[in-house]
C-alpha cells in the first residue's frame, strides 16, 4: 500500500497509538534543505487505499513527528525553524494549537511520555533536550547535551527516564527524579563505539570502531533496560543500560550507508526495523528470541528480511501496534509512504 507526498520528501512517521488505520507523517520540500514543511494525517481504507485525511503546512521543514498519548487527534511536529508545533488532526489546515518556541536551531525529534502521558520531549541541533507540557508554551525543563542531538525518547517503563543520541557518538540517560545539580539529571553517558572489553565470556571482541555520529535510537518494548542505537557507521548496536561498561550486546551489520531510523517491534522482544540512506528498510533479530514465532527469528542475531521499494533515503519507520503482528510503515525522500507486512519479506535480501 502506498501514498505519495507530492512535492514533499518524507522525514518521519508514526502510527496512531489509538487507531490501527491512522498514520502521521512529517515531510519537507526540497529534501529539507530549504523551504517549508508539511505534516500529513493518513488513513488506511478497508480496501487498502491510503488517503490523506488532513494536512498542515509549516514555515520550515518537518523533521520529526509523534502522536499525543493523551488525546487521539493531537500530534506534535519538530520543525527546522526551531519550533515544535501541536496540531489537531481533525481540523485540516488549521493553525497550531500551541507553538513551543525555545530551541535555537533545528528540532529533529519529538517523543511523547508513554507512561504518565502528560508531557513530551524534543531534541535539537542546539545541543539541548526540552521537556514540555501540552497545555503550556514554556518548557518545564532543559537538559543540555552539548552536542547536536538527533534523537530523544522516553523510557516505555518509566515516566522520568529520558535518553538521547548525538553527534558526539554517545548515548545519554537522564533521570529527572534526581536532584538538579551540575550533572543536569544525567545518570549515564555511554560511548556507543566502545571500547568493549577485549575478551568477554571467552569470546574475542572486534576492535573499537572510530566514533561517528549517532542518528537514531529506540527502547525495547519488553526488556526495560535494552536500547538500540545506529548512525553514520551503518551499524546497529544494542545495549543493556544496567551494564553499559560491557559494551554492545549485539552488533547488526548489513546496511551499506548510514542508518537513519530504528524501531523495536511492539510484538516481538527481539525484532527491530531500520531505515537507511541505502534506500532499504530491514528487519532484524538481536538473537534473544525464545521459541518459534511468526517472524522465524529464533537463533543468532542477524538480518531477517529487507524491503527495497523505496528509491531514495529511507528516513522514517514504525510498527503498527494493532492487528496482525508485522505491519509496518516507512517513508523516504522519494515522496512515498509504504505500508507493508514485514512477514512477507522474511528471507528476502
Amino acid at each position: 500500500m502506498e501514498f505519495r507526498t507530492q512535492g514533499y520528501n518524507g522525514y518521519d512517521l508514526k502510527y496512531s497509538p489509538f487507531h490501527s488505520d491512522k498514520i502521521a507523517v512529517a515531510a519537507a520540500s526540497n529534501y529539507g534543505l530549504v523551504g517549508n514543511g508539511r505534516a500529513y494525517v493518513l488513513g488506511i481504507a478497508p480496501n487498502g487505499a491510503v488517503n490523506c485525511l488532513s494536512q498542515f503546512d509549516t514555515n520550515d521543514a518537518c523533521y520529526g513527528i509523534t502522536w499525543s498519548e493523551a488525546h487521539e487527534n493531537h500530534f506534535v511536529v519538530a520543525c527546522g525553524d526551531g519550533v515544535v508545533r501541536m496540531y489537531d488532526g481533525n481540523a485540516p489546515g488549521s493553525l497550531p494549537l500551541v507553538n513551543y518556541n525555545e530551541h535555537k536551531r533545528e528540532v529533529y525529534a519529538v517523543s511523547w511520555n508513554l507512561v504518565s502521558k502528560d508531557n513530551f520531549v524534543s531534541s535539537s541541533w542546539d545541543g539541548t533536550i526540552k521537556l514540555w507540557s501540552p497545555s503550556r508554551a514554556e518548557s518545564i525543563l532543559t537538559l543540555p547535551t552539548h552536542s547536536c542531538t538527533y534523537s530523544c525518547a522516553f523510557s516505555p517503563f518509566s515516566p522520568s527516564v529520558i535518553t538521547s543520541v548525538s553527534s558526539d557518538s554517545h548515548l545519554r540517560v537522564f533521570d529527572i527524579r534526581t536532584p538538579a545539580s551540575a550533572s543536569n539529571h544525567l545518570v549515564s553517558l555511554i560511548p556507543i563505539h566502545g571500547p568493549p572489553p577485549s575478551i568477554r565470556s571467552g569470546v574475542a571482541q572486534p576492535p573499537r570502531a572510530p566514533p561517528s555520529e549517532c542518528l537514531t535510537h529506540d527502547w525495547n518494548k519488553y526488556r526495560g533496560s535494552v536500547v538500540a542505537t545506529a548512525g553514520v557507521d551503518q551499524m546497529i548496536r544494542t545495549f543493556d543500560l544496567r551494564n553499559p561498561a560491557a559494551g554492545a550486546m549485539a552488533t547488526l551489520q548489513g546496511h551499506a550507508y548510514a542508518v537513519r531510523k530504528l524501531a523495536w517491534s511492539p510484538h516481538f522482544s527481539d525484532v527491530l526495523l531500520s531505515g537507511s540512506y541505502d534506500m532499504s528498510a530491514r528487519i532484524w533479530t538481536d538473537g534473544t528470541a525464545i521459541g518459534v514465532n511468526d517472524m522465524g527469528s529464533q537463533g543468532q542475531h542477524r538480518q531477517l528480511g529487507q524491503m527495497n521499494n523505496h528509491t531514495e533515503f529511507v528516513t522514517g519507520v514504525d510498527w503498527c501496534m494493532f492487528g496482525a503482528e508485522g505491519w509496518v510503515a516507512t517513508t523516504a525522500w522519494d515522496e512515498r509512504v509504504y505500508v507493508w507486512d514485514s512477514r512477507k519479506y522474511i528471507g528476502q535480501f
Side-chain angles (χ1 to χ4, degrees), residues 61-116:
C62 296
Y63 291 133
I65 201 164
T66 194
W67 288 95
S68 167
E69 293 284 335
H71 192 296
E72 63 178 318
N73 295 317
H74 292 177
F75 65 89
V76 291
V77 61
C79 298
D81 56 3
V83 182
V84 178
R85 295 173 168 88
M86 175 179 285
Y87 291 98
D88 183 342
N90 265 6
S94 63
L95 295 174
L97 298 172
V98 188
N99 286 318
Y100 307 91
N101 190 3
E102 289 185 14
H103 283 294
K104 305 304 182 187
R105 291 197 62 191
E106 292 89 336
V107 187
Y108 226 57
V110 281
S111 173
W112 208 276
N113 193 321
L114 300 175
V115 181
S116 68

Side-chain angles (χ1 to χ4, degrees), residues 1 15 268 273 283 294-295 306-307 319-320 323-330 338-346 348:
M1 294 179 282
Y15 267 100
F268 305 101
L273 174 68
I283 311 106
D294 287 346
M295 303 296 282
Q306 182 171 326
M307 194 273 272
W319 296 82
C320 181
E325 302 168 343
W327 283 95
V328 300
T330 57
Y338 285 117
V339 178
W340 46 288
D341 186 350
S342 62
R343 296 168 299 177
K344 295 183 179 180
Y345 289 81
I346 298 299
Q348 296 187 27

Side-chain angles (χ1 to χ4, degrees), residues 113-129:
N113 193 321
L114 300 175
V115 181
S116 68
K117 303 185 178 184
D118 58 355
N119 52 50
F120 66 93
V121 287
S122 60
S123 61
S124 169
W125 292 8
D126 65 8
T128 66
I129 299 167

